[in-house]
Amino acid sequence: MFNTTPLEKDGYVKLPEKAVNMINMQEGDQFLVLGDENPESIGIALVPVEFFTAMTQGILNHTKVSDK
């Protein structure tokens, strides 16, 4: 856990500097917002689009190889 942060006007959340630096976020970077609505594990996660794309592409490529 990095810190707490308030929800600001218009739904903005300022991420703690340590979190931003950890994955080298830059202004304009795109993220998927993932959510878990289960009351026992409710939460959200930000995943860089490039990471998600590479991860899913790797899964798809592995599946194609396995199908042959």
Side-chain angles (χ1 to χ4, degrees), residues 29-47:
D29 286 352
Q30 296 286 311
F31 297 87
L32 292 173
V33 180
L34 305 176
D36 184 348
E37 297 177 0
N38 181 335
E40 295 178 10
S41 59
I42 194 164
I44 61 171
L46 298 177
V47 179

